[in-house]
Amino acid sequence: MKAVIIGLGWQGKRHYEALKELGVDLACVIDAKPDVVREKFPEIPPELISNSSKILEKYQPDVAIISTNASERLKIVQYCVEAGIKKIFCEKPMATNLNDAAEMIKITKSNGCMLAVNHLRRSNSNHLKMKKMLKEGVIGQIRHIYFQSGSAGLGNVGSHTIDNIRFYTDSEIHWVSGIIDKTGTPNVRGPQFKDPGGCGVILMKDKTRIFIDIFDDTVIPPVLEIVGAYGRVVIDELNNEWKIYARRNSDWDIPLTRLGTHVSKVDFIDTIPWDVSLLTKYALKDLIYN
């Protein structure tokens, strides 16, 4: 199994380390600044680093990892498909507009390629365990999900959040009403990048109500709250806190209007810490081996 990394920046470095740990050979690297990559990664043979997609024909990788800027990703997916690569792992957000995203799906699907986007919570054992407990009815049917984060951007954190909501509800978005934050907080990647925050209300097709606030006027870590008919879940990933509170099953027949009915803490033993590099490796492993 051989892989190409396209865009070996700070996130590409995580992919590079993950490939080594997974026992996947690095076939080649494509980067707009090959000289910078050669300087930062002297252990990679210089001939494997290029700024041209033609290197794909020479080294014929099985897996492509795309960690460039989002605006370039449709073009790169086209290169990969033309080179015969059947497994493509793309950073999020997968594109900067809906037309590009739809075209990426169309191209890969029509050519028998697997396209995975690095929404790494889908490979997180804690989220998988929590989803199982919710499906088993630990808090009853999900009615409401609330997410709040400090300055992080709708593309950066918001795209993860919306996918996480789709993951937990197994539903798609019916309608959205929201506003874009105009605070103008500089992007951490540089002034050429624009990723504003925002807030809004989403209604899922299964009628779950969603409330999101990612404005640039707070600095507190993200929190996800899932409210069911008989309890709530509060997830604070950065502090590794996973809490479930619910009515006892014997109390479910008590009317919902009895708000004072006791809720008890339900045991939840998390399995892994919040670590983007580790979870990226698991997401890659899912695509490559599963």
Side-chain angles (χ1 to χ4, degrees), residues 80-105:
C80 294
V81 170
E82 290 168 4
I85 298 173
K86 294 301 183 183
K87 294 187 176 186
I88 300 173
F89 190 84
C90 183
E91 275 303 321
K92 56 80 203 169
M94 62 188 289
T96 55
N97 62 78
L98 289 174
N99 288 336
D100 281 8
E103 187 66 16
M104 288 165 71
I105 294 170

PDB file of all heavy atoms in Angstrom, residues 80-105:
ATOM      1  N   CYS A  80      -6.325  12.939  -9.195  1.00  0.00           N
ATOM      2  CA  CYS A  80      -6.208  11.624  -8.538  1.00  0.00           C
ATOM      3  C   CYS A  80      -7.036  10.570  -9.251  1.00  0.00           C
ATOM      4  O   CYS A  80      -6.579   9.435  -9.444  1.00  0.00           O
ATOM      5  CB  CYS A  80      -6.639  11.738  -7.077  1.00  0.00           C
ATOM      6  SG  CYS A  80      -5.551  12.772  -6.071  1.00  0.00           S
ATOM      7  N   VAL A  81      -8.244  10.932  -9.631  1.00  0.00           N
ATOM      8  CA  VAL A  81      -9.108   9.988 -10.338  1.00  0.00           C
ATOM      9  C   VAL A  81      -8.487   9.610 -11.687  1.00  0.00           C
ATOM     10  O   VAL A  81      -8.457   8.432 -12.070  1.00  0.00           O
ATOM     11  CB  VAL A  81     -10.520  10.582 -10.523  1.00  0.00           C
ATOM     12  CG1 VAL A  81     -11.346   9.723 -11.475  1.00  0.00           C
ATOM     13  CG2 VAL A  81     -11.220  10.704  -9.179  1.00  0.00           C
ATOM     14  N   GLU A  82      -7.956  10.604 -12.393  1.00  0.00           N
ATOM     15  CA  GLU A  82      -7.317  10.343 -13.689  1.00  0.00           C
ATOM     16  C   GLU A  82      -6.089   9.456 -13.539  1.00  0.00           C
ATOM     17  O   GLU A  82      -5.738   8.702 -14.455  1.00  0.00           O
ATOM     18  CB  GLU A  82      -6.937  11.669 -14.350  1.00  0.00           C
ATOM     19  CG  GLU A  82      -8.136  12.481 -14.827  1.00  0.00           C
ATOM     20  CD  GLU A  82      -7.768  13.902 -15.202  1.00  0.00           C
ATOM     21  OE1 GLU A  82      -6.556  14.235 -15.153  1.00  0.00           O
ATOM     22  OE2 GLU A  82      -8.680  14.685 -15.542  1.00  0.00           O
ATOM     23  N   ALA A  83      -5.435   9.520 -12.370  1.00  0.00           N
ATOM     24  CA  ALA A  83      -4.252   8.692 -12.118  1.00  0.00           C
ATOM     25  C   ALA A  83      -4.626   7.286 -11.646  1.00  0.00           C
ATOM     26  O   ALA A  83      -3.734   6.472 -11.382  1.00  0.00           O
ATOM     27  CB  ALA A  83      -3.354   9.370 -11.088  1.00  0.00           C
ATOM     28  N   GLY A  84      -5.916   7.008 -11.521  1.00  0.00           N
ATOM     29  CA  GLY A  84      -6.357   5.674 -11.141  1.00  0.00           C
ATOM     30  C   GLY A  84      -6.367   5.407  -9.648  1.00  0.00           C
ATOM     31  O   GLY A  84      -6.466   4.247  -9.223  1.00  0.00           O
ATOM     32  N   ILE A  85      -6.268   6.438  -8.817  1.00  0.00           N
ATOM     33  CA  ILE A  85      -6.277   6.255  -7.368  1.00  0.00           C
ATOM     34  C   ILE A  85      -7.710   5.992  -6.912  1.00  0.00           C
ATOM     35  O   ILE A  85      -8.625   6.749  -7.234  1.00  0.00           O
ATOM     36  CB  ILE A  85      -5.698   7.495  -6.657  1.00  0.00           C
ATOM     37  CG1 ILE A  85      -4.238   7.698  -7.082  1.00  0.00           C
ATOM     38  CG2 ILE A  85      -5.803   7.355  -5.148  1.00  0.00           C
ATOM     39  CD1 ILE A  85      -3.621   8.989  -6.570  1.00  0.00           C
ATOM     40  N   LYS A  86      -7.900   4.927  -6.140  1.00  0.00           N
ATOM     41  CA  LYS A  86      -9.246   4.499  -5.758  1.00  0.00           C
ATOM     42  C   LYS A  86      -9.651   4.912  -4.343  1.00  0.00           C
ATOM     43  O   LYS A  86     -10.820   4.792  -3.981  1.00  0.00           O
ATOM     44  CB  LYS A  86      -9.362   2.975  -5.903  1.00  0.00           C
ATOM     45  CG  LYS A  86      -9.250   2.480  -7.344  1.00  0.00           C
ATOM     46  CD  LYS A  86     -10.336   3.083  -8.224  1.00  0.00           C
ATOM     47  CE  LYS A  86     -10.280   2.551  -9.645  1.00  0.00           C
ATOM     48  NZ  LYS A  86     -11.304   3.198 -10.522  1.00  0.00           N
ATOM     49  N   LYS A  87      -8.708   5.362  -3.535  1.00  0.00           N
ATOM     50  CA  LYS A  87      -9.035   5.803  -2.187  1.00  0.00           C
ATOM     51  C   LYS A  87      -8.484   7.218  -1.982  1.00  0.00           C
ATOM     52  O   LYS A  87      -7.279   7.435  -2.076  1.00  0.00           O
ATOM     53  CB  LYS A  87      -8.460   4.850  -1.145  1.00  0.00           C
ATOM     54  CG  LYS A  87      -9.101   3.461  -1.190  1.00  0.00           C
ATOM     55  CD  LYS A  87      -8.635   2.586  -0.052  1.00  0.00           C
ATOM     56  CE  LYS A  87      -9.373   1.246  -0.058  1.00  0.00           C
ATOM     57  NZ  LYS A  87      -9.045   0.415   1.119  1.00  0.00           N
ATOM     58  N   ILE A  88      -9.391   8.150  -1.709  1.00  0.00           N
ATOM     59  CA  ILE A  88      -9.017   9.557  -1.579  1.00  0.00           C
ATOM     60  C   ILE A  88      -9.484  10.075  -0.221  1.00  0.00           C
ATOM     61  O   ILE A  88     -10.662   9.952   0.125  1.00  0.00           O
ATOM     62  CB  ILE A  88      -9.635  10.406  -2.706  1.00  0.00           C
ATOM     63  CG1 ILE A  88      -9.139   9.896  -4.073  1.00  0.00           C
ATOM     64  CG2 ILE A  88      -9.291  11.879  -2.523  1.00  0.00           C
ATOM     65  CD1 ILE A  88      -9.830  10.566  -5.260  1.00  0.00           C
ATOM     66  N   PHE A  89      -8.555  10.622   0.536  1.00  0.00           N
ATOM     67  CA  PHE A  89      -8.834  11.145   1.882  1.00  0.00           C
ATOM     68  C   PHE A  89      -8.651  12.649   1.832  1.00  0.00           C
ATOM     69  O   PHE A  89      -7.549  13.143   1.569  1.00  0.00           O
ATOM     70  CB  PHE A  89      -7.866  10.521   2.886  1.00  0.00           C
ATOM     71  CG  PHE A  89      -8.206  10.786   4.323  1.00  0.00           C
ATOM     72  CD1 PHE A  89      -9.128  10.005   4.986  1.00  0.00           C
ATOM     73  CD2 PHE A  89      -7.586  11.811   5.023  1.00  0.00           C
ATOM     74  CE1 PHE A  89      -9.437  10.234   6.319  1.00  0.00           C
ATOM     75  CE2 PHE A  89      -7.883  12.054   6.357  1.00  0.00           C
ATOM     76  CZ  PHE A  89      -8.813  11.259   7.006  1.00  0.00           C
ATOM     77  N   CYS A  90      -9.723  13.390   2.081  1.00  0.00           N
ATOM     78  CA  CYS A  90      -9.719  14.837   1.888  1.00  0.00           C
ATOM     79  C   CYS A  90      -9.940  15.558   3.208  1.00  0.00           C
ATOM     80  O   CYS A  90     -10.791  15.163   4.007  1.00  0.00           O
ATOM     81  CB  CYS A  90     -10.823  15.200   0.892  1.00  0.00           C
ATOM     82  SG  CYS A  90     -10.894  16.945   0.467  1.00  0.00           S
ATOM     83  N   GLU A  91      -9.171  16.599   3.443  1.00  0.00           N
ATOM     84  CA  GLU A  91      -9.407  17.416   4.619  1.00  0.00           C
ATOM     85  C   GLU A  91     -10.722  18.189   4.468  1.00  0.00           C
ATOM     86  O   GLU A  91     -11.270  18.313   3.374  1.00  0.00           O
ATOM     87  CB  GLU A  91      -8.243  18.387   4.842  1.00  0.00           C
ATOM     88  CG  GLU A  91      -7.084  17.788   5.607  1.00  0.00           C
ATOM     89  CD  GLU A  91      -7.502  17.255   6.963  1.00  0.00           C
ATOM     90  OE1 GLU A  91      -8.333  17.897   7.642  1.00  0.00           O
ATOM     91  OE2 GLU A  91      -6.996  16.198   7.359  1.00  0.00           O
ATOM     92  N   LYS A  92     -11.206  18.688   5.587  1.00  0.00           N
ATOM     93  CA  LYS A  92     -12.452  19.455   5.576  1.00  0.00           C
ATOM     94  C   LYS A  92     -12.131  20.946   5.715  1.00  0.00           C
ATOM     95  O   LYS A  92     -11.049  21.300   6.193  1.00  0.00           O
ATOM     96  CB  LYS A  92     -13.376  18.958   6.687  1.00  0.00           C
ATOM     97  CG  LYS A  92     -12.737  18.996   8.092  1.00  0.00           C
ATOM     98  CD  LYS A  92     -12.749  20.359   8.704  1.00  0.00           C
ATOM     99  CE  LYS A  92     -11.677  20.516   9.761  1.00  0.00           C
ATOM    100  NZ  LYS A  92     -11.505  21.914  10.183  1.00  0.00           N
ATOM    101  N   PRO A  93     -13.034  21.829   5.267  1.00  0.00           N
ATOM    102  CA  PRO A  93     -14.212  21.502   4.475  1.00  0.00           C
ATOM    103  C   PRO A  93     -13.789  20.995   3.092  1.00  0.00           C
ATOM    104  O   PRO A  93     -12.773  21.449   2.549  1.00  0.00           O
ATOM    105  CB  PRO A  93     -14.962  22.820   4.378  1.00  0.00           C
ATOM    106  CG  PRO A  93     -13.895  23.870   4.518  1.00  0.00           C
ATOM    107  CD  PRO A  93     -12.895  23.289   5.469  1.00  0.00           C
ATOM    108  N   MET A  94     -14.549  20.050   2.539  1.00  0.00           N
ATOM    109  CA  MET A  94     -14.111  19.399   1.304  1.00  0.00           C
ATOM    110  C   MET A  94     -14.041  20.371   0.130  1.00  0.00           C
ATOM    111  O   MET A  94     -13.296  20.141  -0.831  1.00  0.00           O
ATOM    112  CB  MET A  94     -15.033  18.226   0.961  1.00  0.00           C
ATOM    113  CG  MET A  94     -16.469  18.590   0.711  1.00  0.00           C
ATOM    114  SD  MET A  94     -17.535  17.139   0.530  1.00  0.00           S
ATOM    115  CE  MET A  94     -17.011  16.486  -1.053  1.00  0.00           C
ATOM    116  N   ALA A  95     -14.801  21.471   0.193  1.00  0.00           N
ATOM    117  CA  ALA A  95     -14.787  22.465  -0.883  1.00  0.00           C
ATOM    118  C   ALA A  95     -15.245  23.800  -0.309  1.00  0.00           C
ATOM    119  O   ALA A  95     -15.666  23.876   0.845  1.00  0.00           O
ATOM    120  CB  ALA A  95     -15.711  22.019  -2.021  1.00  0.00           C
ATOM    121  N   THR A  96     -15.173  24.838  -1.124  1.00  0.00           N
ATOM    122  CA  THR A  96     -15.602  26.155  -0.674  1.00  0.00           C
ATOM    123  C   THR A  96     -16.958  26.548  -1.253  1.00  0.00           C
ATOM    124  O   THR A  96     -17.444  27.644  -1.001  1.00  0.00           O
ATOM    125  CB  THR A  96     -14.561  27.223  -1.060  1.00  0.00           C
ATOM    126  OG1 THR A  96     -14.329  27.147  -2.477  1.00  0.00           O
ATOM    127  CG2 THR A  96     -13.264  27.017  -0.318  1.00  0.00           C
ATOM    128  N   ASN A  97     -17.572  25.655  -2.034  1.00  0.00           N
ATOM    129  CA  ASN A  97     -18.923  25.915  -2.544  1.00  0.00           C
ATOM    130  C   ASN A  97     -19.595  24.582  -2.862  1.00  0.00           C
ATOM    131  O   ASN A  97     -18.932  23.553  -3.040  1.00  0.00           O
ATOM    132  CB  ASN A  97     -18.883  26.828  -3.780  1.00  0.00           C
ATOM    133  CG  ASN A  97     -18.130  26.201  -4.939  1.00  0.00           C
ATOM    134  OD1 ASN A  97     -18.663  25.341  -5.638  1.00  0.00           O
ATOM    135  ND2 ASN A  97     -16.884  26.622  -5.145  1.00  0.00           N
ATOM    136  N   LEU A  98     -20.906  24.600  -2.930  1.00  0.00           N
ATOM    137  CA  LEU A  98     -21.678  23.366  -3.109  1.00  0.00           C
ATOM    138  C   LEU A  98     -21.440  22.720  -4.465  1.00  0.00           C
ATOM    139  O   LEU A  98     -21.431  21.490  -4.587  1.00  0.00           O
ATOM    140  CB  LEU A  98     -23.171  23.652  -2.930  1.00  0.00           C
ATOM    141  CG  LEU A  98     -23.624  23.969  -1.498  1.00  0.00           C
ATOM    142  CD1 LEU A  98     -25.087  24.375  -1.484  1.00  0.00           C
ATOM    143  CD2 LEU A  98     -23.404  22.767  -0.595  1.00  0.00           C
ATOM    144  N   ASN A  99     -21.239  23.522  -5.500  1.00  0.00           N
ATOM    145  CA  ASN A  99     -21.025  22.954  -6.840  1.00  0.00           C
ATOM    146  C   ASN A  99     -19.763  22.107  -6.880  1.00  0.00           C
ATOM    147  O   ASN A  99     -19.752  21.008  -7.450  1.00  0.00           O
ATOM    148  CB  ASN A  99     -20.953  24.069  -7.887  1.00  0.00           C
ATOM    149  CG  ASN A  99     -22.297  24.713  -8.147  1.00  0.00           C
ATOM    150  OD1 ASN A  99     -23.344  24.102  -7.917  1.00  0.00           O
ATOM    151  ND2 ASN A  99     -22.293  25.948  -8.624  1.00  0.00           N
ATOM    152  N   ASP A 100     -18.675  22.613  -6.287  1.00  0.00           N
ATOM    153  CA  ASP A 100     -17.431  21.845  -6.254  1.00  0.00           C
ATOM    154  C   ASP A 100     -17.605  20.556  -5.450  1.00  0.00           C
ATOM    155  O   ASP A 100     -17.126  19.489  -5.844  1.00  0.00           O
ATOM    156  CB  ASP A 100     -16.304  22.677  -5.644  1.00  0.00           C
ATOM    157  CG  ASP A 100     -15.708  23.676  -6.624  1.00  0.00           C
ATOM    158  OD1 ASP A 100     -16.273  23.821  -7.730  1.00  0.00           O
ATOM    159  OD2 ASP A 100     -14.700  24.315  -6.287  1.00  0.00           O
ATOM    160  N   ALA A 101     -18.283  20.648  -4.316  1.00  0.00           N
ATOM    161  CA  ALA A 101     -18.496  19.463  -3.484  1.00  0.00           C
ATOM    162  C   ALA A 101     -19.288  18.403  -4.245  1.00  0.00           C
ATOM    163  O   ALA A 101     -18.947  17.218  -4.232  1.00  0.00           O
ATOM    164  CB  ALA A 101     -19.212  19.845  -2.198  1.00  0.00           C
ATOM    165  N   ALA A 102     -20.350  18.835  -4.912  1.00  0.00           N
ATOM    166  CA  ALA A 102     -21.183  17.893  -5.671  1.00  0.00           C
ATOM    167  C   ALA A 102     -20.382  17.255  -6.806  1.00  0.00           C
ATOM    168  O   ALA A 102     -20.522  16.053  -7.099  1.00  0.00           O
ATOM    169  CB  ALA A 102     -22.411  18.612  -6.223  1.00  0.00           C
ATOM    170  N   GLU A 103     -19.529  18.045  -7.440  1.00  0.00           N
ATOM    171  CA  GLU A 103     -18.720  17.520  -8.543  1.00  0.00           C
ATOM    172  C   GLU A 103     -17.703  16.515  -8.035  1.00  0.00           C
ATOM    173  O   GLU A 103     -17.425  15.490  -8.697  1.00  0.00           O
ATOM    174  CB  GLU A 103     -18.025  18.681  -9.266  1.00  0.00           C
ATOM    175  CG  GLU A 103     -17.290  18.274 -10.543  1.00  0.00           C
ATOM    176  CD  GLU A 103     -18.207  17.793 -11.650  1.00  0.00           C
ATOM    177  OE1 GLU A 103     -19.422  18.045 -11.585  1.00  0.00           O
ATOM    178  OE2 GLU A 103     -17.695  17.151 -12.584  1.00  0.00           O
ATOM    179  N   MET A 104     -17.118  16.757  -6.861  1.00  0.00           N
ATOM    180  CA  MET A 104     -16.170  15.810  -6.283  1.00  0.00           C
ATOM    181  C   MET A 104     -16.844  14.465  -6.014  1.00  0.00           C
ATOM    182  O   MET A 104     -16.272  13.395  -6.282  1.00  0.00           O
ATOM    183  CB  MET A 104     -15.604  16.386  -4.982  1.00  0.00           C
ATOM    184  CG  MET A 104     -14.643  17.543  -5.190  1.00  0.00           C
ATOM    185  SD  MET A 104     -14.305  18.484  -3.670  1.00  0.00           S
ATOM    186  CE  MET A 104     -13.314  17.304  -2.761  1.00  0.00           C
ATOM    187  N   ILE A 105     -18.067  14.517  -5.502  1.00  0.00           N
ATOM    188  CA  ILE A 105     -18.809  13.277  -5.238  1.00  0.00           C
ATOM    189  C   ILE A 105     -19.134  12.566  -6.550  1.00  0.00           C
ATOM    190  O   ILE A 105     -18.977  11.346  -6.671  1.00  0.00           O
ATOM    191  CB  ILE A 105     -20.097  13.593  -4.453  1.00  0.00           C
ATOM    192  CG1 ILE A 105     -19.740  14.119  -3.060  1.00  0.00           C
ATOM    193  CG2 ILE A 105     -20.996  12.365  -4.354  1.00  0.00           C
ATOM    194  CD1 ILE A 105     -20.918  14.676  -2.291  1.00  0.00           C
TER     195      ILE A 105
END
